[in-house]
Amino acid sequence: MSNVSFEAPRGMRDFYPEDMAWRNRVFDAWRAAAERFGFQPYDACVVESLELLQRKSGEEVSEQIYAFDDKSGRHLALRPEMTPTLARMVAARQSRLTFPLKWYALAQCFRYERMTRGRKREHYQLNLDIIGSEDVLCEAEILGAAVSAMRAMGMPDDAWRIHVSSRALLGELLAASGIPAAQHTAVFVALDKRGKISDEEIAALLREAGLDDAAVSKTFELLAVTSLEGAEALAGAGSPAIANLRALFGLAGQMGYGGLLQFDIAVIRGLSYYTGIVFEAFDVQRRFRAIFGGGRYDSLLALVGGKPTPAVGMGFGDVVVGEVLREVLGDACPVARRGYAVGYMAPEQRPAAVALAAKLRAEGHPVDLALLAQKPKHFFAKAGASAAKYAVFLGPDDVAAGVAQAKDLDTREATPLALA
Ligand code: HAM
């Protein structure tokens, strides 16, 4: 048999310990933020029914599904996103659940994407969703939790922005331009491709959706709007979508992240189920793909067969944020030191080292016990490079005295530590 390749399959990642340090930094911040904002955890299997995914995901995602048939001929797939599964789970228990519900999941997702910077064929997503309320406070809470996670990861506020728009607003503007509601979803999907394909190709897609030349140029004119005031001038002072966006900006200010939001009519989102406010976060220099994205999707529950129920949520991937964090914080993940590294000079001190490790672990401290007797130089070099906060090295004199020195690896200060 020829040698197997050492590479993970294209687009998939291996996580060595130094990669896990970054991954845990992101996951810990995600979980802490979700819990801080009162979301409850849920989970599901990564294998989902192909039919559910094909019908409910946006058209772009449905072309990227890893699908297979099982040995009984069931059509299955690895989920490309969590939202259809969430809608299925909620619909299954709709009469028993208490709404509005706030749920979160850390979900691994698979998409057969063209590989570009920030896009892999597998990634993890924090999903935060609130189901059962139309109130824009839901959007504000979800964005607040995302901001809290970004800050906990160490991302400075001046490095990124949340771009916000509203499909309802764009719908109002398209309707005011004479484009019927039946064509709006196709228009959104076409406009979302902006930047990825040429404007001529987008115009062709719009014509395919049934727009005439005048409607196509009106649609492009709408994208030239740069401010909420500009949008209001076109939508009219009584626009419910504008009022909703203004309410979100107001709440964001109250919650301490108003400066991070900016109106951006070009945010459309690729998934077809969004109905209202939509948002995407980017680094300020726009060197990376979206850090997270989401929005309101008030029709999806009914689409999977549940009762019509308003919903809003977001997906926050680990790949792009990891790239932006490395750019801002450097390549080595900053880790807070904790626990002890315990070493010993000769086999005679090993029983005392084993006993000390047992005592410290019983007290609740993580301990990395040396597996071999070592010279102090080697032990301290290895301990310094580890995540331990204290290094304790046992020589014959320490064991005879029953006291060793715990060296703080940050401050280099030593404090006596009783061995028994
Ligand atoms: P999405 O925009 O397709 O939305 O994905 C959300 C986030 O997942 C992206 O902003 C990005 O961070 C990450 N992501 C997506 N695809 C990839 C990829 N191929 N490689 C690396 N990262 C990726 C959704 O998935 C919606 N289901 C979010 C949602 C939840 N909306 C409502 N609730």
Side-chain angles (χ1 to χ4, degrees), residues 22 26 153 155 288 291 316-328 330:
W22 281 109
V26 170
M153 288 172 203
M155 185 79 80
F288 298 89
I291 299 170
F316 185 159
D318 65 329
V319 177
V320 180
V321 83
E323 289 176 348
V324 183
L325 278 175
R326 278 182 177 81
E327 187 97 349
V328 175

Side-chain angles (χ1 to χ4, degrees), residues 263-327:
F263 174 71
D264 181 355
I265 201 160
V267 174
I268 315 270
R269 306 279 295 138
L271 304 162
S272 54
Y273 48 64
Y274 294 109
T275 53
I277 284 179
V278 280
F279 50 83
E280 263 171 1
F282 291 98
D283 63 293
V284 280
Q285 284 142 10
R286 294 296 292 260
R287 293 178 46 218
F288 298 89
R289 300 278 297 263
I291 299 170
F292 62 76
R296 180 163 283 284
Y297 53 102
D298 286 346
S299 318
L300 187 63
L301 260 287
L303 262 173
V304 301
K307 285 201 268 316
T309 311
V312 55
M314 65 141 214
F316 185 159
D318 65 329
V319 177
V320 180
V321 83
E323 289 176 348
V324 183
L325 278 175
R326 278 182 177 81
E327 187 97 349

Side-chain angles (χ1 to χ4, degrees), residues 71-92:
K71 289 181 179 168
S72 308
R74 286 184 199 90
H75 305 309
L76 300 174
L78 303 181
R79 65 178 171 228
E81 57 159 336
M82 194 64 166
T83 313
T85 301
L86 171 66
R88 176 178 65 66
M89 287 171 64
V90 172

Side-chain angles (χ1 to χ4, degrees), residues 277-398:
I277 284 179
V278 280
F279 50 83
E280 263 171 1
F282 291 98
D283 63 293
V284 280
Q285 284 142 10
R286 294 296 292 260
R287 293 178 46 218
F288 298 89
R289 300 278 297 263
I291 299 170
F292 62 76
R296 180 163 283 284
Y297 53 102
D298 286 346
S299 318
L300 187 63
L301 260 287
L303 262 173
V304 301
K307 285 201 268 316
T309 311
V312 55
M314 65 141 214
F316 185 159
D318 65 329
V319 177
V320 180
V321 83
E323 289 176 348
V324 183
L325 278 175
R326 278 182 177 81
E327 187 97 349
V328 175
L329 303 178
D331 264 344
C333 180
V335 281
R337 291 184 170 280
R338 54 195 283 269
Y340 291 80
V342 174
Y344 43 96
M345 189 147 6
E348 292 74 43
Q349 289 92 49
R350 183 160 143 150
V354 171
L356 176 62
K359 174 175 125 112
L360 291 169
R361 286 172 182 153
E363 287 167 10
H365 302 288
V367 178
D368 180 14
L369 172 64
L371 300 171
L372 289 172
Q374 274 168 310
K375 293 208 165 71
K377 197 175 84 180
H378 292 144
F379 166 72
F380 283 107
K382 187 162 176 266
S386 79
K389 171 79 173 150
Y390 300 100
V392 187
F393 188 74
L394 302 184
D397 296 349
D398 304 297

Side-chain angles (χ1 to χ4, degrees), residues 16-35:
Y16 286 87
E18 60 272 27
D19 308 312
M20 284 307 286
W22 281 109
R23 181 166 130 182
N24 286 338
R25 186 181 183 88
V26 170
F27 281 27
D28 289 351
W30 278 348
R31 271 199 202 94
E35 300 277 342

Side-chain angles (χ1 to χ4, degrees), residues 163-228:
H163 297 240
V164 184
S165 186
S166 160
R167 283 199 176 181
L169 171 65
L170 202 53
E172 284 178 20
L173 297 176
L174 291 170
S177 306
I179 298 163
Q183 290 170 350
H184 290 185
T185 303
V187 172
F188 296 149
V189 171
L191 292 184
D192 182 63
K193 298 199 165 34
R194 238 178 151 215
K196 296 175 206 153
I197 60 175
S198 71
D199 279 2
E200 289 73 48
E201 287 169 293
I202 289 172
L205 286 175
L206 292 174
R207 279 190 213 97
E208 260 173 51
L211 275 65
D212 60 24
D213 285 348
V216 169
S217 42
K218 278 210 171 133
T219 304
F220 278 103
E221 273 167 35
L222 295 180
L223 293 181
V225 170
T226 55
S227 66
L228 207 47

